[in-house]
Amino acid sequence: MSAILSLGERQQSLLTVLLHHRNGLTVDELASMLEISRNAVNQHLTNLSGSGFIQSTLLNSTGGRPGKIYSLTPVGLELFPRHYSFLARMLLFWLKKNLGEQELESCLKELGEQIAQEFSDRVNKHQTQTGKVREVTAILQELGYDADTALNTETYAEIIASNCVFQELAEECHSVCTLDLSLLASLLDANIEHKKCIVKGGRNCCFGILTKTPKHVVQQF
């Protein structure tokens, strides 16, 4: 279910109007379009702004009190359903068909490394491996994983994810797991053992993290 459906009907309508007017609208314009009072609009705007869905900017004014214009934030835009999974599936199988399994895994490995670069500063600020593992677990949670740290020492740790954000894709193409493994190996500069996998019958995905150089990825089921 899209997150927007958890909001009230009026707030859904307000967000939808702003989706159709990407340059933003004033309170008066919103009140007119939604056929509700300015006070009601202001109340909804306050709630939605507090949730990070709406932003405001000052209007240029020739005199008097400056007005505001309201528009969706990037977070607000993400409330509306998008067919990412369908597009990802089509792209994945096009790559597999045209490049082959080995090249597909190479692409996914490189993609995992590139994603890791986006978070490397957060991880590298920690001096200990246990701190790095905790930070990586937090990053996985932000990416949609129900992840937790099971074991965590300076030489070995385990991260357990109770869900797989790519489950439908991974069930059709097990190479997708290469992305997760590459991401973890790059962030932690460690050997990653895929001890359990949801799409291969495991109750969860368990990643064993062994501090060692040079790093490599080991898959074991």
PDB file of all heavy atoms in Angstrom, residues 56-71:
ATOM      1  N   SER A  56       7.826  25.362   1.652  1.00  0.00           N
ATOM      2  CA  SER A  56       7.285  26.679   1.290  1.00  0.00           C
ATOM      3  C   SER A  56       8.426  27.607   0.901  1.00  0.00           C
ATOM      4  O   SER A  56       9.544  27.492   1.399  1.00  0.00           O
ATOM      5  CB  SER A  56       6.498  27.277   2.460  1.00  0.00           C
ATOM      6  OG  SER A  56       7.357  27.508   3.569  1.00  0.00           O
ATOM      7  N   THR A  57       8.115  28.527  -0.003  1.00  0.00           N
ATOM      8  CA  THR A  57       9.060  29.571  -0.413  1.00  0.00           C
ATOM      9  C   THR A  57       8.310  30.903  -0.435  1.00  0.00           C
ATOM     10  O   THR A  57       7.091  30.943  -0.660  1.00  0.00           O
ATOM     11  CB  THR A  57       9.655  29.286  -1.795  1.00  0.00           C
ATOM     12  OG1 THR A  57       8.585  29.090  -2.741  1.00  0.00           O
ATOM     13  CG2 THR A  57      10.518  28.043  -1.785  1.00  0.00           C
ATOM     14  N   LEU A  58       9.036  31.981  -0.201  1.00  0.00           N
ATOM     15  CA  LEU A  58       8.411  33.304  -0.188  1.00  0.00           C
ATOM     16  C   LEU A  58       8.156  33.779  -1.605  1.00  0.00           C
ATOM     17  O   LEU A  58       8.981  33.601  -2.499  1.00  0.00           O
ATOM     18  CB  LEU A  58       9.314  34.306   0.536  1.00  0.00           C
ATOM     19  CG  LEU A  58       9.450  34.118   2.056  1.00  0.00           C
ATOM     20  CD1 LEU A  58      10.459  35.112   2.611  1.00  0.00           C
ATOM     21  CD2 LEU A  58       8.097  34.283   2.735  1.00  0.00           C
ATOM     22  N   LEU A  59       7.006  34.385  -1.787  1.00  0.00           N
ATOM     23  CA  LEU A  59       6.662  34.992  -3.070  1.00  0.00           C
ATOM     24  C   LEU A  59       7.273  36.378  -3.163  1.00  0.00           C
ATOM     25  O   LEU A  59       7.394  37.088  -2.166  1.00  0.00           O
ATOM     26  CB  LEU A  59       5.143  35.123  -3.214  1.00  0.00           C
ATOM     27  CG  LEU A  59       4.351  33.863  -3.587  1.00  0.00           C
ATOM     28  CD1 LEU A  59       2.861  34.152  -3.433  1.00  0.00           C
ATOM     29  CD2 LEU A  59       4.650  33.460  -5.015  1.00  0.00           C
ATOM     30  N   ASN A  60       7.655  36.757  -4.358  1.00  0.00           N
ATOM     31  CA  ASN A  60       8.101  38.133  -4.566  1.00  0.00           C
ATOM     32  C   ASN A  60       6.927  39.072  -4.343  1.00  0.00           C
ATOM     33  O   ASN A  60       5.828  38.850  -4.843  1.00  0.00           O
ATOM     34  CB  ASN A  60       8.645  38.310  -5.984  1.00  0.00           C
ATOM     35  CG  ASN A  60       9.931  37.522  -6.201  1.00  0.00           C
ATOM     36  OD1 ASN A  60      10.714  37.364  -5.271  1.00  0.00           O
ATOM     37  ND2 ASN A  60      10.135  37.043  -7.417  1.00  0.00           N
ATOM     38  N   SER A  61       7.152  40.086  -3.552  1.00  0.00           N
ATOM     39  CA  SER A  61       6.067  41.011  -3.213  1.00  0.00           C
ATOM     40  C   SER A  61       6.495  42.454  -3.452  1.00  0.00           C
ATOM     41  O   SER A  61       7.635  42.829  -3.179  1.00  0.00           O
ATOM     42  CB  SER A  61       5.668  40.824  -1.744  1.00  0.00           C
ATOM     43  OG  SER A  61       4.673  41.742  -1.387  1.00  0.00           O
ATOM     44  N   THR A  62       5.564  43.250  -3.990  1.00  0.00           N
ATOM     45  CA  THR A  62       5.854  44.667  -4.246  1.00  0.00           C
ATOM     46  C   THR A  62       5.520  45.528  -3.040  1.00  0.00           C
ATOM     47  O   THR A  62       5.789  46.714  -3.012  1.00  0.00           O
ATOM     48  CB  THR A  62       5.054  45.158  -5.469  1.00  0.00           C
ATOM     49  OG1 THR A  62       3.655  44.925  -5.238  1.00  0.00           O
ATOM     50  CG2 THR A  62       5.480  44.413  -6.721  1.00  0.00           C
ATOM     51  N   GLY A  63       4.953  44.932  -2.042  1.00  0.00           N
ATOM     52  CA  GLY A  63       4.581  45.678  -0.838  1.00  0.00           C
ATOM     53  C   GLY A  63       3.681  44.850   0.041  1.00  0.00           C
ATOM     54  O   GLY A  63       3.083  43.871  -0.387  1.00  0.00           O
ATOM     55  N   GLY A  64       3.585  45.235   1.303  1.00  0.00           N
ATOM     56  CA  GLY A  64       2.751  44.487   2.235  1.00  0.00           C
ATOM     57  C   GLY A  64       3.430  43.234   2.717  1.00  0.00           C
ATOM     58  O   GLY A  64       4.616  42.999   2.496  1.00  0.00           O
ATOM     59  N   ARG A  65       2.662  42.396   3.354  1.00  0.00           N
ATOM     60  CA  ARG A  65       3.199  41.167   3.942  1.00  0.00           C
ATOM     61  C   ARG A  65       3.498  40.151   2.849  1.00  0.00           C
ATOM     62  O   ARG A  65       2.643  39.853   2.020  1.00  0.00           O
ATOM     63  CB  ARG A  65       2.183  40.602   4.930  1.00  0.00           C
ATOM     64  CG  ARG A  65       2.692  39.408   5.709  1.00  0.00           C
ATOM     65  CD  ARG A  65       1.651  38.976   6.729  1.00  0.00           C
ATOM     66  NE  ARG A  65       2.110  37.847   7.509  1.00  0.00           N
ATOM     67  CZ  ARG A  65       1.387  37.281   8.468  1.00  0.00           C
ATOM     68  NH1 ARG A  65       0.176  37.756   8.750  1.00  0.00           N
ATOM     69  NH2 ARG A  65       1.874  36.254   9.140  1.00  0.00           N
ATOM     70  N   PRO A  66       4.737  39.622   2.806  1.00  0.00           N
ATOM     71  CA  PRO A  66       5.059  38.648   1.753  1.00  0.00           C
ATOM     72  C   PRO A  66       4.274  37.356   1.927  1.00  0.00           C
ATOM     73  O   PRO A  66       4.033  36.898   3.046  1.00  0.00           O
ATOM     74  CB  PRO A  66       6.559  38.409   1.942  1.00  0.00           C
ATOM     75  CG  PRO A  66       6.811  38.748   3.379  1.00  0.00           C
ATOM     76  CD  PRO A  66       5.863  39.876   3.708  1.00  0.00           C
ATOM     77  N   GLY A  67       3.824  36.797   0.806  1.00  0.00           N
ATOM     78  CA  GLY A  67       3.089  35.542   0.853  1.00  0.00           C
ATOM     79  C   GLY A  67       4.008  34.357   0.650  1.00  0.00           C
ATOM     80  O   GLY A  67       5.210  34.506   0.438  1.00  0.00           O
ATOM     81  N   LYS A  68       3.423  33.179   0.747  1.00  0.00           N
ATOM     82  CA  LYS A  68       4.186  31.949   0.567  1.00  0.00           C
ATOM     83  C   LYS A  68       3.550  31.096  -0.515  1.00  0.00           C
ATOM     84  O   LYS A  68       2.341  31.145  -0.745  1.00  0.00           O
ATOM     85  CB  LYS A  68       4.248  31.146   1.874  1.00  0.00           C
ATOM     86  CG  LYS A  68       5.120  31.747   2.954  1.00  0.00           C
ATOM     87  CD  LYS A  68       5.169  30.835   4.166  1.00  0.00           C
ATOM     88  CE  LYS A  68       6.073  31.408   5.251  1.00  0.00           C
ATOM     89  NZ  LYS A  68       6.131  30.523   6.445  1.00  0.00           N
ATOM     90  N   ILE A  69       4.387  30.307  -1.144  1.00  0.00           N
ATOM     91  CA  ILE A  69       3.919  29.342  -2.129  1.00  0.00           C
ATOM     92  C   ILE A  69       4.355  27.966  -1.667  1.00  0.00           C
ATOM     93  O   ILE A  69       5.475  27.791  -1.157  1.00  0.00           O
ATOM     94  CB  ILE A  69       4.472  29.681  -3.533  1.00  0.00           C
ATOM     95  CG1 ILE A  69       3.773  28.829  -4.585  1.00  0.00           C
ATOM     96  CG2 ILE A  69       5.973  29.532  -3.612  1.00  0.00           C
ATOM     97  CD1 ILE A  69       4.027  29.291  -5.998  1.00  0.00           C
ATOM     98  N   TYR A  70       3.477  26.992  -1.783  1.00  0.00           N
ATOM     99  CA  TYR A  70       3.738  25.651  -1.244  1.00  0.00           C
ATOM    100  C   TYR A  70       3.879  24.638  -2.374  1.00  0.00           C
ATOM    101  O   TYR A  70       3.143  24.682  -3.371  1.00  0.00           O
ATOM    102  CB  TYR A  70       2.600  25.236  -0.308  1.00  0.00           C
ATOM    103  CG  TYR A  70       2.504  26.106   0.922  1.00  0.00           C
ATOM    104  CD1 TYR A  70       1.762  27.284   0.916  1.00  0.00           C
ATOM    105  CD2 TYR A  70       3.194  25.762   2.083  1.00  0.00           C
ATOM    106  CE1 TYR A  70       1.694  28.097   2.037  1.00  0.00           C
ATOM    107  CE2 TYR A  70       3.134  26.570   3.216  1.00  0.00           C
ATOM    108  CZ  TYR A  70       2.382  27.733   3.173  1.00  0.00           C
ATOM    109  OH  TYR A  70       2.321  28.548   4.280  1.00  0.00           O
ATOM    110  N   SER A  71       4.822  23.723  -2.198  1.00  0.00           N
ATOM    111  CA  SER A  71       5.067  22.686  -3.207  1.00  0.00           C
ATOM    112  C   SER A  71       5.524  21.408  -2.513  1.00  0.00           C
ATOM    113  O   SER A  71       5.863  21.403  -1.320  1.00  0.00           O
ATOM    114  CB  SER A  71       6.123  23.147  -4.208  1.00  0.00           C
ATOM    115  OG  SER A  71       7.355  23.430  -3.548  1.00  0.00           O
TER     116      SER A  71
END
